[in-house]
Amino acid sequence: MKQITSIQNPFIKQLIQLQEKAKTRKKTGTFLIEGLREMEIAIKGGYELVTILFLPELINLETLQKTIDNRAIDCIEISKEVYQKLAYRDTTEGILAVAKIKTHQLSDLQLSQNPLILVAEGIEKPGNLGAILRTADAANIDAVIIANPKSDLYNPNIVRSSVGCVFTRQIAVASSEETIAFLQKRNIAIYCATLQDLIVTGK
């Protein structure tokens, strides 16, 4: 099994960029997942894992192999120094994964005849968007549309604060104009809420 012990390793440097920069995530079409629970939820949500990095002092091979369930995923043993450099949190069971980003097009949404959709427009703080996704999951909303996003969906703060809901809810990313056209085409009633008002625009 491959081992990486230095934070100067080119692959580790690339993963640090993946963690920190939306541009790198977009260019490579990949992002980092941190934590065993999050990784299991991502697999359940149909995400493809490319590489798994693990710290043997915190997670054993038996647990790792049970999680990936014989999937053909490249596994790399890393040192404590490398893990601490990559990890956002101290309590993530010593495991990280590189996963492929999904497309999140409006056309990807599979909706019922009378769906309940949450549209979040221009959300700036990643933590707030993660909280919105948690709420959508708790309310069992059919889909979430993120209109005019100010942060990419795979920002580590969104992944963390959503507690895995980013992997299991139907999510589309689009402009406000595309979102309105999508809803109107499907004859879905639109309700607009602000801190002061609730506006019903009809169908």
Side-chain angles (χ1 to χ4, degrees):
M1 182 177 291
K2 186 176 180 180
Q3 296 179 325
I4 298 179
T5 58
S6 172
I7 60 174
Q8 300 303 320
N9 180 282
F11 180 59
I12 299 303
K13 287 184 175 181
Q14 180 184 337
L15 294 186
I16 293 171
Q17 292 293 306
L18 201 64
Q19 189 82 290
E20 296 177 349
K21 297 184 180 297
K23 184 179 179 180
T24 304
R25 293 191 287 271
K26 184 176 180 180
K27 181 179 179 181
T28 63
T30 59
F31 69 104
L32 270 182
I33 300 172
E34 182 179 341
L36 184 62
R37 179 177 180 273
E38 285 81 355
M39 197 175 81
E40 290 173 337
I41 295 172
I43 291 173
K44 182 180 178 181
Y47 279 80
E48 181 181 348
L49 305 189
V50 180
T51 306
I52 290 176
L53 303 98
F54 71 100
L55 181 62
E57 293 97 310
L58 294 181
I59 185 169
N60 58 52
L61 275 174
E62 183 179 350
T63 301
L64 177 60
Q65 303 218 344
K66 182 180 178 182
T67 302
I68 64 177
D69 193 24
N70 296 319
R71 290 175 176 85
I73 303 172
D74 188 25
C75 294
I76 300 174
E77 183 179 311
I78 57 176
S79 65
K80 185 176 182 180
E81 182 186 21
V82 171
Y83 174 71
Q84 290 177 334
K85 186 68 176 178
L86 291 174
Y88 250 57
R89 295 174 286 169
D90 295 328
T91 56
T92 45
E93 304 89 27
I95 188 167
L96 303 104
V98 181
K100 289 187 178 181
I101 286 171
K102 289 188 177 182
T103 58
H104 298 290
Q105 302 293 317
L106 287 169
S107 57
D108 294 333
L109 298 179
Q110 297 180 12
L111 303 174
S112 61
Q113 188 174 359
N114 187 29
L116 178 60
I117 301 171
L118 173 64
V119 178
E121 184 180 25
I123 306 299
E124 294 186 9
K125 294 184 178 180
N128 288 347
L129 185 51
I132 287 170
L133 292 175
R134 290 202 315 270
T135 302
D137 185 71
N140 198 27
I141 285 174
D142 293 289
V144 176
I145 299 176
I146 304 169
N148 295 337
K150 305 299 182 184
S151 178
D152 78 292
L153 190 58
Y154 296 101
N155 180 297
N157 288 327
I158 294 177
V159 175
R160 182 173 67 250
S161 60
S162 76
V163 197
C165 296
V166 68
F167 304 132
T168 55
R169 303 313 311 175
Q170 287 200 91
I171 303 172
V173 179
S175 69
S176 296
E177 294 77 14
E178 289 170 334
T179 301
I180 292 170
F182 174 83
L183 298 174
Q184 289 178 335
K185 183 179 179 181
R186 284 154 185 78
N187 206 31
I188 297 173
I190 301 173
Y191 298 83
C192 304
T194 68
L195 289 175
Q196 293 79 27
D197 305 290
L198 173 65
I199 305 168
V200 181
T201 65
K203 294 186 178 182

